[in-house]
Amino acid sequence: MRLEGRDLVAGYEERTVLDGLSVAVPPGRFTVIIGPNACGKSTLLRTLGRLLKPRGGSVLLDGAVLHDLPPREVAQRLGVLPQAPLVPEGVTVADLVARGRQPHQRWWQQWSPGDQAAVAAALADADIAELAARPVEELSGGQRQRVWIAMALAQQTEALLLDEPTTYLDLAHQVEVLRLLERLRDGGRTVVAVLHELNQAARHADHVIAMKDGRVVATGAPHEVVTEQLMTDVFGLACAVVTCPLTGAPLVIPRP
Amino acid sequence: MRGAAKRGGYLLLGVLVLLAAVAASLTIGSRPIPLGEALDALLHPSAGEAALIVRELRVPRTLVGLEVGAALAVAGVLMQALTRNPLAEARVLGISAGAATGVVAAIAFFGVASLAGWIWFGLAGAALAGALVFLVAARTRDGSGPVSLALSGAAIDAGLGAVIYGILSIDAATFEQYRFWVVGSIAGRTPAMAGQMAPFLAIGLVLAVVTARGLDALALGDDAARGLGHRIQRVRLLAAVAAIVLTGAAVALAGPIAFVGLAVPHAARALVGAAHRWVLPLSALLGAALLLLADVLGRVISPPGEVAAGVVTALVGAPVLLWLVRRARTVTA
């Protein structure tokens, strides 16, 4: 699955956030978008995920213009987990994950064995099978995040786009989610996530897209993008980059 | 899927409760008629007094009760989903006020003196008010989202309320007729009226079923619904049209009956969970049953007179709503 944006212009009301941005998502890899607050990371992800219609340029999915494709067809190929989805009152984990099957169903269609299998697999992959009957409201933040990811997994798409999937989670749960995303990548999926934590991006991503002021500043492998010069430029903060003693990945440390 | 048998059981229970309510509505009243005799009157038309009461009075009343109760409950589900507001019901989208304005206008300006005539004015008023609320909301940045729908509905409701009370306060003769409609009742309705409302009910129910999955998705937020492949403006438009048609027809026919649209969806969700393909049919069953039972209660509560169903639902409704509020608090805590 090839996903790319060409000359994208996008924003909200009068405010233009992305102004002529082009970017390509490498297939089958774990791509992380980084950048300071309000630089357009979420806007880019929402535009790539068909949640936001670009004013100019186009998003191409395997060469076809994304926003011209039927939304249901896109949802069968591209799963999107937005930043703050809502939990309906009283919904159980299994019910919520089952909603990920919607792109594969029609309103007259009943629940099929295929749907059942996809939900079971998603629950297992996200490691929440034992929570299936629990109300989502009762779960911890980390468990909830895995429920949302499971819903996106039940959609059975080749690509998965996630907007800050680790926000509000403690460190252990953040790592848990990132490892889950790595496993999905290992299973052949294309994964794109917006992350705030640079060291996690450097450690877990195959491909990093660094943004600033609605533009892509640099793209490439973590060790190519997460450098002292680039991080200082992008975040406006003097920092050092050392090599992580455990993984060899770049490690960003703000200078005192 | 998990729990389908249990949910199906609740639906079956809903059917049984509704059948019991229908039986009660056919048999109980100032002239009690045994169930066997009532059924006999239905199947073998005869000229006896009991048969006449059943066919001419109780059957139309029961049919209207079924229609209005189901319509109000389903519309309540739709409006609560559209506004993501558990307290949404006919008033929230200005539909009740629209129907009331239509009826007041029919009496005050067009000299329409019968219920059969008011119905069409009520329906037109409800449709106009509902459409206005939706169009105003659709032009906001929120794009007919929950907040803009609720706000423009509240504004229209308040504005029309001022118009209604303005007219009524200077026109006592209109008020004298209006009060029979506004109390909310299903007594004295004819088979023709029940027939006139049936197509509106059918359209509303079909649209509700078509949008059920879209509403499930919208409950997760606009972006999540888009991500699941829905055209969210279309889902909202269809659900709003269904809510307007159902509420408009029900309110025009029976007056603004409180509480059914508010409480039945809560009860249904408590039983079968949040998925609309279960909540909608169970709400239709329970809404119809609730209104019939309220009507039956109103017939026997203060003989020889009758208390209107709308009064009974409000009286019974208040404590039940308080109970729901308490329950909701314990869930979120």
Side-chain angles (χ1 to χ4, degrees):
Chain A
M1 138 117 36
R2 284 180 305 111
L3 184 65
E4 59 179 307
R6 285 198 190 150
D7 308 317
L8 291 175
V9 181
Y12 309 92
E13 307 278 285
E14 284 89 46
R15 199 164 65 92
T16 300
V17 181
L18 309 179
D19 199 357
L21 176 154
S22 294
V23 72
V25 174
R29 312 297 296 279
F30 184 178
T31 299
V32 169
I33 304 173
I34 60 171
N37 289 337
C39 73
K41 302 185 296 285
S42 286
T43 306
L44 174 59
L45 194 89
R46 294 183 73 231
T47 310
L48 289 175
R50 207 188 182 285
L51 304 185
L52 185 68
K53 191 176 163 68
R55 278 185 218 144
S58 49
V59 177
L60 299 178
L61 179 63
D62 286 336
V65 177
L66 183 74
H67 287 80
D68 292 344
L69 295 171
R72 220 170 69 90
E73 188 186 309
V74 172
Q76 290 171 3
R77 300 166 65 187
L78 205 61
V80 191
L81 186 54
Q83 208 170 82
L86 307 171
V87 178
E89 192 187 328
V91 76
T92 63
V93 170
D95 277 343
L96 194 60
V97 174
R99 292 184 191 188
R101 296 303 298 162
Q102 286 203 349
H104 302 274
Q105 299 166 327
R106 295 284 197 173
W107 65 265
W108 62 84
Q109 250 177 358
Q110 276 298 315
W111 190 245
S112 74
D115 293 330
Q116 182 67 51
V119 168
L123 289 170
D125 284 347
D127 205 18
I128 50 170
E130 74 281 4
L131 302 178
R134 293 267 301 276
V136 178
E137 293 151 314
E138 289 178 7
L139 304 182
S140 70
Q143 290 171 322
R144 268 190 207 202
Q145 197 57 38
R146 279 186 288 161
V147 172
W148 288 114
I149 293 174
M151 186 185 91
L153 292 180
Q155 221 169 316
Q156 291 189 322
T157 55
E158 298 157 64
L160 201 56
L161 277 55
L162 308 98
D163 199 351
E164 300 192 15
T166 55
T167 308
Y168 306 124
L169 302 184
D170 65 33
L171 185 60
H173 286 113
Q174 289 178 19
V175 171
E176 206 175 280
V177 166
L178 290 165
R179 286 186 177 154
L180 170 59
L181 296 181
E182 283 180 333
R183 285 204 302 277
L184 298 176
R185 183 265 328 267
D186 295 340
R189 280 190 172 90
T190 303
V191 179
V192 184
V194 170
L195 292 181
H196 266 301
E197 230 294 318
L198 291 178
N199 293 328
Q200 288 178 348
R203 177 170 173 161
H204 295 276
D206 304 315
H207 186 78
V208 177
I209 298 173
M211 290 182 67
K212 185 184 181 185
D213 297 334
R215 292 173 297 112
V216 171
V217 178
T219 61
H223 71 269
E224 294 166 0
V225 177
V226 183
T227 62
E228 285 188 13
Q229 188 58 50
L230 256 162
M231 291 303 102
T232 303
D233 281 356
V234 167
F235 290 95
L237 175 74
C239 56
V241 172
V242 299
T243 300
C244 170
L246 300 180
T247 63
L251 203 56
V252 181
I253 303 171
R255 289 190 185 277
Chain B
M1 95 174 262
R2 183 181 292 268
K6 195 171 154 195
R7 289 158 164 174
Y10 282 120
L11 274 192
L12 188 64
L13 190 68
V15 171
L16 294 177
V17 170
L18 181 57
L19 285 177
V22 167
S25 176
L26 289 177
T27 54
I28 298 173
S30 57
R31 166 87 154 75
I33 298 168
L35 187 57
E37 208 175 315
L39 292 177
D40 197 48
L42 284 179
L43 300 173
H44 312 287
S46 64
E49 192 204 347
L52 270 178
I53 289 176
V54 169
R55 283 206 313 276
E56 300 298 319
L57 297 178
R58 296 217 177 134
V59 166
R61 187 171 186 163
T62 304
L63 283 177
V64 169
L66 286 173
E67 288 179 346
V68 171
L72 288 176
V74 169
V77 174
L78 295 173
M79 285 186 278
Q80 289 173 13
L82 278 173
T83 58
R84 288 198 198 107
N85 179 350
L87 294 178
E89 40 99 45
R91 284 196 58 175
V92 168
L93 292 188
I95 307 173
S96 268
T101 309
V103 171
V104 168
I107 302 168
F109 305 135
F110 296 92
V112 181
S114 74
L115 181 66
W118 297 346
I119 284 179
W120 299 109
F121 283 88
L123 191 58
L128 284 176
L132 186 62
V133 167
F134 192 83
L135 289 178
V136 169
R139 292 178 63 86
T140 61
R141 186 186 166 190
D142 188 21
S144 66
V147 176
S148 56
L149 267 183
L151 284 179
S152 64
I156 301 280
D157 182 65
L160 291 179
V163 171
I164 294 167
Y165 291 111
I167 294 174
L168 294 179
S169 62
I170 57 173
D171 184 351
T174 296
F175 179 72
E176 194 51 39
Q177 298 187 54
Y178 174 72
R179 68 192 181 92
F180 287 103
W181 176 82
V182 78
V183 71
S185 168
I186 57 174
R189 270 63 181 170
T190 64
M193 292 175 189
Q196 283 161 356
M197 288 302 127
F200 296 100
L201 186 69
I203 291 170
L205 291 181
V206 167
L207 284 179
V209 170
V210 169
T211 53
R213 293 170 54 259
L215 295 176
D216 281 346
L218 271 183
L220 312 178
D222 291 359
D223 269 359
R226 287 193 192 96
L228 289 173
H230 291 282
R231 300 174 202 264
I232 63 172
Q233 279 294 7
R234 194 163 76 178
V235 173
R236 286 212 181 102
L237 176 65
L238 291 178
V241 168
I244 291 168
V245 169
L246 288 169
T247 311
V251 176
L253 187 57
I257 289 179
F259 184 69
V260 176
L262 177 60
V264 169
H266 284 276
R269 277 193 292 268
L271 293 173
V272 293
H276 282 92
R277 69 177 183 284
W278 293 102
V279 173
L280 285 167
L282 186 61
S283 293
L285 292 170
L286 295 182
L290 177 67
L291 186 56
L292 284 181
L293 292 174
D295 184 52
V296 169
L297 192 60
R299 293 179 209 169
V300 298
I301 210 169
S302 66
E306 283 194 1
V307 178
V311 176
V312 178
T313 56
L315 268 180
V316 177
V320 176
L321 188 60
L322 288 176
W323 176 76
L324 280 173
V325 170
R326 273 180 53 86
R327 185 183 150 273
R329 187 166 297 158
T330 52
V331 168
T332 47

